[in-house]
Every structure is written in C-alpha cells, then in structure tokens.
Amino acid sequence: MTTPYTHKNLTDVEDSAPKFGLSAMGEARFAFEDLDAEATGITYHRLKAGQRQPFAHKHDAAEEVYIVVAGSGRAKLDDAIIDISALDAIRVAPGVTRAFEAGSDDLQLLACGPHHAGDGEVVQGWWTD
C-alpha cells in the first residue's frame, strides 16, 4: 500500500539518459515509481547548453504540462517552434508531437501529467534543420 505522501529529491531519481547512450545530451529522470505515484507522472529533464533532444514523443491520451525551471531554449510542438525561458509553463495536448532544445545555457524542465501505461510514441528524426 502506498503511504499518504512520498518525498524525493529529483536528483536522487535514476538518470535514464546514460543507459540509452544520451549522456552527452543531458539528463532524464522519470520519478513515477520513485514517488510511489499511482496516476501522476513527473520527469526532470536537463538539456546541456546547445543540445537538442534526439527524438520527439507524443501521447494518445495524456495531456502534459512542461515547466521551465531554469535556462532557456526552444520547443517544437507539431509545426510550431516557440522560445521558452525560466518559469514558462507549456500545456501540450494529447496527440501533439514535442521536443526541446537548450539555448546558450542548460535548459531544465519538469514534465507533469497523468500516467497512462503504454501511452507514448517516440518519433525519430523529428527536429531536423
């Protein structure tokens, strides 16, 4: 049974980037299990300065909100590219393909939304220019 609350520093959550060969890009810390969450997903992303996520993703059912914790950069949301900076919040509807890139300093993001097992599709070669 889950306790009534869980306290975890996101830097203590395993960084998944190394096991996928993405350490040069930054960090990806998926905290769903570490927080004993039942229905809410949260992920901490850190993109190193000048780096771009190597692939995009989208969800069939989950709406996500991304919060820029620090830094600046850009987000590609379907065909739109927007500039983002600290404390911006970006709501992304289901079905929208998304990816992020850091500007001249590291970009730190939190991704929050409902957790639906198996609801996600990786899109390779999404952000090319």
Side-chain angles (χ1 to χ4, degrees):
M1 177 172 178
T2 303
T3 59
Y5 70 89
T6 305
H7 176 210
K8 187 80 169 186
N9 188 294
L10 293 175
T11 59
D12 292 334
V13 173
E14 178 189 7
D15 180 9
S16 294
K19 68 182 172 186
F20 294 105
L22 301 174
S23 294
M25 176 219 45
E27 301 173 37
R29 299 176 186 273
F30 300 91
F32 176 77
E33 290 180 4
D34 289 74
L35 290 171
D36 301 318
E38 296 177 7
T40 305
I42 184 163
T43 305
Y44 169 72
H45 296 277
R46 183 180 66 85
L47 296 173
K48 294 179 182 177
Q51 293 293 310
R52 170 182 287 176
Q53 290 175 320
F55 53 83
H57 79 282
K58 63 182 177 178
H59 295 281
D60 292 328
E63 174 183 74
E64 289 184 313
V65 174
Y66 293 85
I67 299 111
V68 179
V69 177
S72 62
R74 301 188 310 163
K76 183 174 181 188
L77 309 164
D78 282 341
D79 293 328
I81 297 176
I82 61 171
D83 292 323
I84 56 176
S85 59
L87 298 182
D88 282 354
I90 305 104
R91 181 197 59 84
V92 182
V96 174
T97 303
R98 78 286 314 258
F100 296 87
E101 82 175 344
S104 59
D105 51 357
D106 290 1
L107 176 64
Q108 297 179 50
L109 298 164
L110 292 176
C112 309
H115 179 78
H116 302 291
D119 175 30
E121 178 184 342
V122 170
V123 180
Q124 297 291 345
W126 169 246
W127 200 337
T128 58
D129 56 337

